[in-house]
Amino acid sequence: MASGLMTMNEFTHDHNHSLATLDQTTRLPADLVRQVTIKGAKLLSALDRIGFVHENRDGSMFGLRFSEINIWRENGVPVNATFHVDTERMYHFSPLDIAKPRIVAALQAVCKLPLWVMTKNGLVIAIELAPAQQAMRLPARADLDLGKRPKGELMAPIGESKIGPIWRPLPAIGHALITGTTGSGKSTWLHSAIAGLVTGAGPNKLRLVLVDPKRSELAPWANIPHRLGDIAYTVEQATQLMGDLVDEVDRRGEVLAGAGVRDIAGYNSQSPKPLPYILCIVDEALDLALTAGARSELAGHLKTISMRGRSTGVYLWLATQHAAAVTGLPRVVAVNLTTRLVFRVADGTAAHTAGCPGAQDLPPNRPGRMLAKLAAKPIEVQGYVLRDGVLKAIARTVSGQSPNVTTGPVLSEGEIALVRYAMERLGGAFIVNKLAAAGLDGWTKYKVDRLALVWERRGWLTRPAHRADPRRVTPELAALAGVVDVA
């Protein structure tokens, strides 16, 4: 996703309801400027009505303002607008007060567009721009392209919507329920989400706690450095692992209190040693919970994490084949699973229970199709998938193991020669002109350029930050070619 293409030096909405003038040097379409300006004014007006205002000693009132607004584009199409709130005007409340579900729901109702609130490094309100003319049909399959990862930390891939790709920061997703019948694409999507997260953030920023009663579903990630503790397979192992996680939530609560902050975002913004976020993924969660029992130690751990984990950067993703999982889980856990990713389910009752009515009507011949409840009402999405070979290669690369190319993506001899030349002669830079001029058998400038575009989309070549910069060979591509990174 491209960088922000619109800024405003100051976007105010004080007691006189005045709006600042847009920076005209951005040369944005007038209708787009008008749409974003109106949405911003409605957001500020709604926050005023809710009570996010300050009264001076003389009785005058002033509300919030936006210090910066960005418009983000994908393939030239505006997809998101982000409104950065000036937190210096927040005297009696914090960003977390605005991030509360009831406030987000109220802002969502005002904007009438998908909306979410981010509290990392300040306060940002983001909305999806959905011009009707850009609507398109969902693809039958959506292969994950790591080369199109949007800017931002801890971005998790969701899928393709009718207005383009959807990625969300892990803190914005929070606790989630992931459900769908056998063959609906739930497990394949889960691997794509994990791949997107672990390839975008190192163990210093993200740790994973994995519970896998089937013993095989999460096996590809057994050796990644992000893993916190061994994968749990039994109720006893899961209880111990989740107990350790509860201890970490308690410890982090004390750390945050000692630092005088309310959440992990506030702590990390000022600490020389930031805390990594922790994502706990439990597969077959309902079966595990029912086996353990409603009054078990495991159930107690789930309750604690669901209630207190979010502010400390600890999140639960519970995956299950049973759409009625929310009725079988402790009530406080179900209530806190605010994000719902519901693939095809058996009937209307199951869809309603899972929080996404209509999921029973998703086409059975479209694995990966889901209803995603990310902020307000559910939207239909074609969830991302990874081919088995690519999944194995990514897991091996992240784990630091040498891949066996016969079981993953296979490069031709000519492609291997290109990678070797780039690594050994160009220091890892994949420079099309120099590779074409190297005289390697059959590689014209046109062929090298086309291959570079394909590899960039796959995430095998880095996307240059500036046009003058070259693409670079990623460790995954170097490993596939059997070349030691000499850069």
Side-chain angles (χ1 to χ4, degrees), residues 346-461:
D347 53 46
T349 300
H352 181 79
T353 303
C356 291
Q360 75 278 7
D361 297 324
L362 293 173
N365 61 341
R366 292 288 185 269
R369 189 66 59 88
M370 70 168 97
L371 292 182
K373 187 177 182 181
L374 300 169
K377 65 179 182 179
I379 59 172
E380 189 171 351
V381 174
Q382 184 65 36
Y384 286 122
V385 299
L386 276 177
R387 299 184 187 277
D388 288 343
V390 178
L391 166 62
K392 293 176 182 177
I394 290 175
R396 282 191 297 263
T397 300
V398 175
S399 301
Q401 301 175 359
S402 298
N404 177 359
V405 295
T406 60
T407 60
V410 178
L411 302 183
S412 69
E413 291 299 323
E415 290 171 340
I416 291 174
L418 280 177
V419 178
R420 284 187 177 276
Y421 190 94
M423 296 299 293
E424 296 171 1
R425 302 290 186 88
L426 304 177
F430 200 88
I431 305 172
V432 172
N433 290 339
K434 291 186 177 181
L435 289 168
L440 301 174
D441 186 31
W443 287 107
T444 64
K445 182 178 181 299
Y446 174 80
K447 288 183 178 180
V448 177
D449 187 58
R450 296 297 299 172
L451 182 65
L453 290 173
V454 172
W455 282 0
E456 181 181 322
R457 286 196 296 269
R458 290 182 182 177
W460 290 357
L461 294 175

Side-chain angles (χ1 to χ4, degrees), residues 194-217:
I194 295 174
L197 285 166
V198 300
T199 56
N204 62 322
K205 293 185 178 179
L206 174 67
R207 306 303 295 271
L208 294 183
V209 172
L210 303 177
V211 180
D212 182 13
K214 288 194 295 189
R215 297 177 178 265
S216 59
E217 190 59 58

Side-chain angles (χ1 to χ4, degrees), residues 120 154 203-207 248 251-253 255-256 261 263-265 267-269 271-278 311-313:
K120 183 177 176 61
L154 299 171
N204 62 322
K205 293 185 178 179
L206 174 67
R207 306 303 295 271
E248 176 63 11
R251 184 188 74 83
R252 289 185 173 206
V255 170
L256 299 183
V261 296
D263 62 13
I264 186 175
Y267 179 81
N268 285 352
S269 66
S271 173
K273 292 184 178 181
L275 295 169
Y277 286 78
I278 300 176
S311 64
T312 63

Side-chain angles (χ1 to χ4, degrees), residues 59-309:
S60 61
M61 308 283 288
F62 68 85
L64 296 177
R65 70 180 179 189
F66 298 133
S67 58
E68 180 183 343
I69 300 175
N70 293 321
I71 288 180
W72 304 84
R73 299 193 183 197
E74 178 69 32
N75 298 324
V77 178
V79 292
N80 292 322
T82 55
F83 301 83
H84 297 249
V85 178
D86 182 357
T87 54
E88 292 184 359
R89 298 166 70 93
M90 302 174 69
Y91 289 95
H92 304 300
F93 44 88
S94 76
L96 285 178
D97 294 322
I98 293 181
K100 291 179 178 178
R102 64 181 184 84
I103 304 300
V104 174
L107 298 179
Q108 171 83 38
V110 168
C111 276
K112 299 181 180 179
L113 286 174
L115 175 148
W116 65 102
V117 175
M118 296 172 285
T119 57
K120 183 177 176 61
N121 297 327
L123 176 62
V124 178
I125 301 174
I127 63 171
E128 289 187 6
L129 302 174
Q133 65 270 25
Q134 298 298 336
M136 57 186 181
R137 298 181 64 180
L138 291 176
R141 178 187 174 97
D143 288 297
L144 177 62
D145 186 349
L146 294 175
K148 293 184 178 179
R149 184 197 315 274
K151 288 187 176 181
E153 291 189 337
L154 299 171
M155 298 298 291
I158 306 298
E160 296 285 335
S161 72
K162 291 183 179 180
I163 60 171
I166 298 178
W167 291 64
R168 286 288 184 275
L170 177 60
I173 296 173
H175 302 314
L177 174 70
I178 305 157
T179 185
T181 60
T182 301
S184 63
K186 167 182 60 67
S187 298
T188 307
W189 176 87
L190 189 59
H191 285 299
S192 299
I194 295 174
L197 285 166
V198 300
T199 56
N204 62 322
K205 293 185 178 179
L206 174 67
R207 306 303 295 271
L208 294 183
V209 172
L210 303 177
V211 180
D212 182 13
K214 288 194 295 189
R215 297 177 178 265
S216 59
E217 190 59 58
L218 301 177
W221 310 107
N223 297 314
I224 60 174
H226 302 71
R227 188 169 45 78
L228 193 62
D230 295 329
I231 298 179
Y233 302 116
T234 66
V235 170
E236 293 74 21
Q237 292 172 344
T239 301
Q240 178 63 51
L241 191 59
M242 302 291 276
D244 293 342
L245 196 54
V246 169
D247 290 341
E248 176 63 11
V249 170
D250 291 339
R251 184 188 74 83
R252 289 185 173 206
E254 294 176 0
V255 170
L256 299 183
V261 296
R262 299 181 61 179
D263 62 13
I264 186 175
Y267 179 81
N268 285 352
S269 66
Q270 67 182 35
S271 173
K273 292 184 178 181
L275 295 169
Y277 286 78
I278 300 176
L279 172 59
C280 178
I281 299 176
V282 182
D283 195 29
E284 300 302 336
L286 181 59
D287 292 343
L288 193 73
L290 292 177
T291 301
R295 298 184 178 181
S296 65
E297 218 180 333
L298 178 62
H301 295 334
L302 288 173
K303 293 177 184 178
T304 299
I305 297 169
S306 69
M307 289 188 296
R308 294 167 42 209

